[in-house]
Amino acid sequence: MVELRQYTLRPGRRDELIELFDREFVETQEATGMAVLGQFRDLDDPDRFVWLRGFPDMAARHRSLTDFYGGPVWAEHGPRANTTMADSDDVLLLRPASARGGLAVTPAARPGAGAPAPDRLVSATVWSFPPGRSEGVALIQDGLLPVLRATGPAPLAVLTTETAPNTFTRLPVRTGENVTVVLTAYPDEAARRLHVAEVAAHPLARDAVLPGIEREQTGAPHVLRLGPTARSLIR
C-alpha cells in the first residue's frame, strides 16, 4: 500500500518544509509502522513537494496514521509544516500492480541528516483510465513493461489504484481514480529522454502497445520529473 502525495506549497517555502520533514518526520513516522519511501522536489514546479509512504495493508495504515497524527511529534512540528502548504489533498492511494511491482527499499540504506542530495532524477509517469476498466492497466503491465526493461533501466515500481475505502478521512485521497504509476530512476534528464525515445521507436511499443494505451486512457499521461532529497530512499 503506497500513498503518492503531491503538495502545493506557499511560494519559496519548499526547502523549509524539506529540512523540517527530513529532520523530524522520517524516523518518527516509521516508528508507528509506516515506511517513508521517497521525498522529492518537483523539477518542473519550485513550489511542489512530492513524497511516497508505504503501509503493509489498510488496517495498518489506519493504525499508523492515527498514532502519528495523534502523537507528540505532529503536535509539536505539524503546525509549522502546515504553514508551508497551500494544498496537501492531491493524494493517490496505490498498491503494487503485481507481486513484482512493489518498491524494494530498506530504511537501513537511508542517508543520515546532513547528507548531500543525490544528483539523480526519478520519473513518475501516471496513466489514467476510465474507472472499472482493466484493459489499459493490462497493456502497461503485459506490454509496456517488457519494452521498458529491454530499452533502459527497469522500473523501480509499478503501482495501480487501491480501491479500498479511505478509512483515515482526516487525510483525503483522490476518489474515482483508475491509474497506473511507473517509477523509474535515471542519472539525468538526458538519460530519461533517451529511454523515452527508444521506447517510442521500439516496434512492439510503436505499433501495438502505445496506440492501445492511447485508446484506453482518459488523457495524456502526467509525467513527474523528481529530484530526490538527501534522505530519500528512492533515488
Side-chain angles (χ1 to χ4, degrees):
M1 194 74 50
V2 175
E3 294 175 348
L4 172 58
R5 310 187 66 87
Q6 301 180 60
Y7 292 176
T8 299
L9 305 182
R10 302 190 186 282
R13 302 193 66 181
R14 182 165 70 182
D15 285 348
E16 177 187 347
L17 177 61
I18 287 172
E19 189 278 331
L20 177 66
F21 189 105
D22 279 1
R23 188 184 72 240
E24 302 293 350
F25 297 150
V26 176
E27 285 82 1
T28 52
Q29 288 189 83
E30 292 184 335
T32 69
M34 63 185 95
V36 178
L37 301 168
Q39 307 96 268
F40 308 95
R41 294 171 171 88
D42 186 326
L43 298 179
D44 296 305
D45 187 336
D47 297 317
R48 294 277 282 181
F49 173 66
V50 179
W51 64 293
L52 296 98
R53 65 179 166 191
F55 310 85
D57 51 44
M58 291 297 288
R61 175 178 179 268
H62 185 272
R63 289 194 299 271
S64 293
L65 294 179
T66 299
D67 289 347
F68 180 75
Y69 289 102
V73 173
W74 187 252
E76 180 178 357
H77 300 289
R80 181 183 166 197
N82 284 336
T83 66
T84 70
M85 303 175 195
D87 178 74
S88 61
D89 292 348
D90 186 348
V91 180
L92 288 169
L93 189 57
L94 307 166
R95 58 176 173 78
S98 70
R100 298 174 55 198
L103 283 158
V105 295
T106 172
R110 190 187 309 280
D119 188 16
R120 299 276 293 172
L121 182 148
V122 173
S123 169
T125 304
V126 183
W127 281 273
S128 295
F129 303 105
R133 291 183 62 88
S134 60
E135 290 84 354
V137 177
L139 280 165
I140 292 174
Q141 182 71 31
D142 301 329
L144 185 60
L145 286 185
V147 176
L148 290 172
R149 295 186 181 111
T151 54
L156 301 173
V158 183
L159 308 168
T160 192
T161 297
E162 170 55 60
T163 57
N166 176 24
T167 57
F168 193 80
T169 55
R170 178 175 169 183
L171 297 182
V173 302
R174 286 161 54 179
T175 58
E177 300 284 348
N178 180 21
V179 306
T180 296
V181 181
V182 177
L183 293 168
T184 310
Y186 297 97
D188 51 36
E189 173 62 10
R192 187 192 74 84
R193 288 180 179 271
L194 178 61
H195 192 195
V196 170
E198 290 183 346
V199 170
H202 190 283
L204 178 61
R206 181 191 64 218
D207 298 336
V209 176
L210 293 176
I213 293 172
E214 187 173 352
R215 287 192 297 270
E216 292 294 329
Q217 67 191 8
T218 57
H222 180 41
V223 179
L224 295 169
R225 299 186 319 120
L226 306 172
T229 72
R231 305 202 67 208
S232 175
L233 289 176
I234 302 172
R235 55 179 56 210

